[in-house]
């Protein structure tokens, strides 16, 4: 049917849907709370929203504050996991599990109950072990250079940097992460000094990217012939499986229920979500829900997935 015909069903058109979604998100004045345990992030204005989508054909579509850099935080754990698996392969799984934790991202209690083997590579304890594997016996500077280069290659731009002020802010107030790292060390699950591994972890979490850059960086997880391939298809499937089951911490079940695609969130308010074979999506809105995941970002993804029929279920 031609679109002009009365009652015609229009094909979903992203260039119409994304600006509408942006307007809807701004109409409703409930933005959630910014992360305040990292003072540099507590200063961010929560009233911001952006969305960007790269389709399998390589086209980019975006709306909102999509060129504003933000702190990527835990979304970088997808990239560090890809690098760690590239370096030590399945050996990583002797040190970290692959099950959802059902606990907050920075929970301490489960780590002791399970003898210092974190449930999965996305909760903080698991990401600290993964960072330790990326570090190997190198200096933090070398490992960070590899991580930044991986992200730049994935995004197709060199204009991506670490914000040292954010890293310093988290180092000063990162008492929970220090507790987790020292507990891991007490269980012989760190090969480097806790301060070295944590320094590397805080710095990669402090990477800044725009929403457009993040959607571009996610292209390698889509597994489409026209998009860059940085890891094998088998590894892509496994990374997506972990994002679906563990990418939103104790909100992972709710995200799968509401959105229905793999996603990884960060306390900077960013989410990278993948529609396998179809699209890489990034959303950003700094206000968080009770699980520490972007409130508007989750809502926007739920709405987009519904409108595009993108749930994998
Ligand atoms: N750097 C943050 C922390 O360790 C990352 C947490 C997150 O984004 N969920 O607390």
């Amino acid at each position: 049917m031609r679109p002009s015909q009365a009652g015609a069903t229009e094909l979903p058109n992203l260039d119409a849907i994304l600006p509408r979604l942006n307007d809807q998100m701004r109409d409703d004045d409930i933005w959630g709370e910014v992360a305040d345990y990292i003072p540099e992030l507590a200063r961010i204005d929560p009233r911001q929203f952006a969305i960007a989508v790269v389709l399998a054909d390589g086209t980019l579509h975006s709306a909102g504050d999509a060129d504003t850099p933000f702190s990527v935080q835990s979304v970088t754990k997808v990239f560090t996991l890809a690098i760690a698996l590239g370096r030590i392969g399945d050996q990583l799984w002797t040190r970290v599990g692959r099950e959802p934790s059902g606990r907050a991202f920075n929970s301490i209690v489960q780590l002791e109950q399970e003898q210092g083997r974190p449930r999965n590579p996305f909760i903080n304890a698991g990401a600290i072990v993964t960072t330790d594997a990326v570090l190997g016996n190198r200096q933090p500077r070398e490992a960070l250079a590899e991580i930044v280069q991986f992200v730049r290659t994935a995004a197709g731009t060199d204009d991506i940097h670490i914000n040292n002020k954010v890293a310093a802010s988290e180092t000063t107030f990162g008492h929970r992460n220090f507790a987790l790292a020292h507990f891991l060390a007490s269980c012989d699950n760190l090969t480097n000094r806790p301060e070295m591994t944590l320094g590397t972890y805080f710095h990669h979490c402090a990477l800044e990217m725009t929403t457009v850059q993040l959607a571009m960086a996610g292209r390698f997880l889509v597994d489409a012939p026209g998009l860059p391939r940085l890891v094998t298809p088998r590894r892509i499937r496994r990374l997506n499986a972990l994002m679906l089951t563990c990418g939103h911490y104790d909100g992972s079940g709710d995200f799968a229920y509401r959105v229905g695609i793999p996603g990884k969130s960060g306390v900077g308010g960013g989410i990278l979500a993948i529609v396998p074979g179809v699209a890489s999506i990034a959303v950003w809105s700094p206000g968080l829900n009770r699980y520490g995941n972007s409130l508007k970002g989750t809502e926007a993804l739920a709405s987009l997935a519904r409108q595009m029929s993108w749930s994998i279920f």
Side-chain angles (χ1 to χ4, degrees):
M1 278 198 218
R2 267 173 285 127
S4 54
Q5 271 178 279
T9 38
E10 289 198 10
L11 282 175
N13 173 2
L14 277 179
D15 292 323
I17 289 174
L18 298 187
R20 200 158 60 221
L21 206 49
N22 179 44
D23 290 343
Q24 282 165 357
M25 291 300 132
R26 285 163 200 278
D27 281 350
D28 168 13
D29 208 31
I30 299 166
W31 292 85
E33 305 285 329
V34 295
D36 57 4
Y37 73 100
I38 304 175
E40 275 297 307
L41 297 186
R43 304 185 309 135
I44 308 282
D45 177 6
R47 289 181 179 69
Q48 303 183 76
F49 174 81
I51 184 161
V53 180
V54 181
L55 294 175
D57 64 6
T59 55
L60 168 70
H61 310 261
S62 68
D65 307 306
D67 293 316
T68 304
F70 64 92
S71 195
V72 186
Q73 293 296 325
S74 286
V75 185
T76 57
K77 295 172 182 175
V78 177
F79 305 108
T80 49
L81 178 60
I83 296 169
L85 290 172
R87 291 180 72 82
I88 65 167
D90 286 344
Q91 261 183 340
L92 182 69
W93 306 122
T94 61
R95 301 175 60 186
V96 190
R98 295 192 297 264
E99 295 295 343
S101 67
R103 304 228 177 233
F105 64 91
N106 56 4
S107 167
I108 293 177
V109 61
Q110 198 171 50
L111 193 61
E112 180 171 18
Q113 277 167 349
E114 301 186 358
Q115 290 82 43
R117 184 172 181 262
R119 272 287 173 99
N120 67 65
F122 292 148
I123 52 171
N124 284 11
I128 292 167
V129 170
T130 305
T131 301
D132 189 63
V134 172
L135 191 51
N137 48 23
R138 300 183 289 176
Q139 289 301 312
R141 192 173 12 90
E142 288 172 71
L144 285 167
E146 183 183 10
I147 295 167
V148 173
Q149 194 49 53
F150 186 98
V151 175
R152 286 177 175 171
T153 303
T157 171
D158 282 344
D159 192 19
I160 293 172
H161 307 275
I162 289 171
N163 182 330
N164 288 317
K165 263 175 95 174
V166 173
S169 177
E170 200 178 351
T171 307
T172 309
F173 295 93
H175 307 301
R176 263 179 182 261
N177 284 322
F178 277 99
L180 290 169
H182 280 278
F183 192 82
L184 288 165
S186 81
C187 299
D188 283 330
N189 202 359
L190 284 190
T191 60
N192 293 282
R193 281 190 298 112
E195 293 72 20
M196 288 254 290
T197 299
L198 272 185
T200 313
Y201 169 82
F202 290 144
H203 278 82
H204 77 64
C205 284
L207 260 176
E208 285 191 345
M209 295 170 80
T210 68
T211 307
V212 163
Q213 289 173 338
L214 187 57
M216 293 290 278
R219 293 174 301 173
F220 84 99
L221 292 165
V222 176
D223 194 15
L227 298 182
R229 279 218 160 94
L230 303 183
V231 302
T232 62
R234 185 165 85 147
R235 189 152 290 156
I236 292 172
R237 277 196 295 278
R238 291 175 160 184
L239 289 168
N240 275 297
L242 288 163
M243 287 166 74
L244 183 76
T245 51
C246 312
H248 282 72
Y249 313 112
D250 46 342
S252 298
D254 192 54
F255 187 84
Y257 182 89
R258 290 176 63 196
V259 184
I261 55 177
K264 180 74 207 82
S265 70
V267 289
I271 302 175
L272 175 63
I274 304 298
V275 190
V278 176
S280 166
I281 312 167
V283 287
W284 171 59
S285 186
L288 308 178
N289 63 21
R290 66 192 166 100
Y291 305 113
N293 305 318
S294 175
L295 188 140
K296 295 267 190 211
T298 307
E299 273 178 30
L301 283 171
S303 172
L304 182 66
R306 204 165 48 236
Q307 293 181 66
M308 303 300 288
S309 302
W310 273 349
S311 166
I312 61 171
F313 300 105

